[in-house]
Amino acid sequence: MAKKEPKTNAMRILEREKIPFEIHRYECKEFTDGTAIADMLGQPHEKVFKTLVTEGKSKDYFVFVIPIDQELDLKKAARSVGEKSVQMIHVKDINSVTGYIRGGCTAIGMKKQYQTVVHESVRNLETLIVSGGKRGIQAELKPEDYLRACRGTTADLVKKQKG
């Protein structure tokens, strides 16, 4: 008899919302950066997104979702949520703020619904891949479904690439 796979909160929410998604699993004992995960899954870097949690000057939390090989531009991020400034929260605070752990954090199903902004490049994709809510699990779904599930908007959020 096949062992029933435990579902993450994010997977339960996607199912409840009747949003189709595909799960990609990979071996992961500890935090692995997104680029390594994309490579393990054989996926192009621009399709795999990371979830970053920040705190604004107002003490509110904001979630930004950007391609794994890009760097969050804090000024653009702050502007996109109407804050004077935002800064990354400390790694030790990720669980208490989101309910997820580093490397398994997703904008779907956090403890609270924080304002979420996804990098605008998501609009050019057929599907994107984000954390499925646990290390070792990635969820692939359509951008419009992801935006609906995390109640997100889109904006230009990343630093200009040098080159």
Side-chain angles (χ1 to χ4, degrees), residues 7-10 12-13 51 53 61 63 89-114 131-135:
K7 286 195 175 108
T8 65
N9 200 25
R12 283 190 284 276
I13 289 168
T51 304
V53 184
Y61 294 106
V63 178
I89 65 169
H90 198 281
V91 170
K92 70 175 175 31
D93 297 329
I94 291 173
N95 184 258
S96 62
V97 171
T98 68
Y100 290 116
I101 59 167
R102 180 176 188 219
C105 190
T106 180
I108 303 167
M110 286 187 175
K111 275 185 180 174
K112 285 177 62 186
Q113 179 65 51
Y114 299 113
S131 171
K134 190 175 171 204
R135 287 183 192 153

Side-chain angles (χ1 to χ4, degrees), residues 24 34 49 66 74 91 99 103 142 152:
H24 298 277
F49 283 62
I66 64 171
L74 294 171
V91 170
K142 290 183 174 149

Side-chain angles (χ1 to χ4, degrees), residues 28-34 37 101-104 135:
C28 181
K29 297 284 180 267
E30 60 207 41
F31 173 75
T32 307
D33 78 25
I37 292 167
I101 59 167
R102 180 176 188 219
R135 287 183 192 153

Side-chain angles (χ1 to χ4, degrees), residues 20-111:
F21 64 99
E22 184 185 337
I23 290 297
H24 298 277
R25 294 179 191 282
Y26 59 95
E27 277 304 307
C28 181
K29 297 284 180 267
E30 60 207 41
F31 173 75
T32 307
D33 78 25
T35 314
I37 292 167
D39 294 344
M40 274 190 258
L41 297 174
Q43 294 291 338
H45 293 179
E46 59 276 2
K47 182 177 175 167
V48 183
F49 283 62
K50 58 187 172 187
T51 304
L52 304 171
V53 184
T54 64
E55 187 175 5
K57 201 121 179 97
S58 64
K59 296 294 177 214
D60 287 336
Y61 294 106
F62 300 96
V63 178
F64 298 100
V65 184
I66 64 171
I68 52 162
D69 58 357
Q70 303 275 330
E71 205 180 327
L72 184 65
D73 183 316
L74 294 171
K75 284 187 172 67
K76 288 179 182 177
R79 213 173 308 129
S80 76
V81 294
E83 281 280 326
K84 273 191 171 50
S85 64
V86 295
Q87 61 189 27
M88 298 296 296
I89 65 169
H90 198 281
V91 170
K92 70 175 175 31
D93 297 329
I94 291 173
N95 184 258
S96 62
V97 171
T98 68
Y100 290 116
I101 59 167
R102 180 176 188 219
C105 190
T106 180
I108 303 167
M110 286 187 175
K111 275 185 180 174

